[in-house]
Amino acid sequence: MAATFEIEIATPERLLVKEQVTEAQIPCGGASGEIGVLPGHAPLLSELGIGQLSYVINGERRKLAVAGGVLEVLPEHVRVLAMVAEMPADIDLARAQAAEKRAMERLASVQQNIDSARALNALKRAQARLAVSQK
Ligand code: ATP
């Protein structure tokens, strides 16, 4: 079996990553949690979740924040088409901190007109950005 597989990570606007890697950890949608991918993984198609996506290239782990989209896994190829994907250098830390604070305040609010699912997703996006921008 091959020791690596190709991972492609794109948004509708741009291709961010196209590399041969040895491993990837990818957040899935719904209650599916995170999937670990090694070369030769069984084929699958899944919704992409909100969180930190990481992959290992030449022994070095690299991270991106992703939020929603589609994930296709084939034995030697993984395609991630994300609605939002950011490399650490793309992330505005202060903006993510402010978004996290805002979402937490919304979730803690007793007002009836809060869309808590929306606030929870905003919180997850902010926390993914904060996790990815930490060294
Ligand atoms: P905010 O409340 O700060 O707008 P958000 O989670 O609602 O955050 P998104 O809807 O996920 O934002 O993204 C809208 C656009 O803004 C996307 O292009 C995304 O890449 C960009 N973006 C959002 N937050 C950040 C950030 N902290 N750093 C860099 N780009 C960001």
Side-chain angles (χ1 to χ4, degrees):
M1 194 191 294
T4 61
F5 60 93
E6 186 175 66
I7 188 165
E8 267 182 83
I9 305 171
T11 64
E13 291 86 30
R14 62 179 178 141
L15 178 66
L16 286 97
V17 174
K18 188 174 181 182
E19 303 276 16
Q20 287 290 327
V21 304
T22 51
E23 187 204 313
Q25 298 281 337
I26 305 171
C28 293
S32 319
E34 206 182 53
I35 174 182
V37 182
L38 293 171
H41 196 287
L44 75 84
L45 191 62
S46 167
E47 199 183 316
L48 183 69
I50 301 175
Q52 176 175 302
L53 183 160
S54 72
Y55 56 89
V56 177
I57 176 164
N58 298 325
E60 179 202 333
R61 185 171 293 276
R62 296 188 188 163
K63 302 177 194 169
L64 284 89
V66 294
V70 181
L71 163 68
E72 180 190 40
V73 178
L74 297 172
E76 293 182 10
H77 201 105
V78 169
R79 278 192 198 95
V80 178
L81 183 55
M83 291 195 283
V84 175
E86 293 138 15
M87 308 249 202
D90 301 328
I91 293 172
D92 176 339
L93 192 57
R95 178 171 168 180
Q97 283 165 339
E100 182 190 41
K101 184 164 176 280
R102 200 165 52 239
M104 281 176 151
E105 283 166 2
R106 286 204 176 115
L107 287 168
S109 140
V110 289
Q111 285 174 43
Q112 294 297 306
N113 59 350
I114 292 297
D115 180 344
S116 51
R118 185 174 163 186
L120 194 58
N121 281 344
L123 180 64
K124 284 193 206 165
R125 290 195 298 276
Q127 289 180 337
R129 289 175 174 125
L130 295 173
V132 164
S133 53
Q134 269 160 19
K135 292 280 167 270

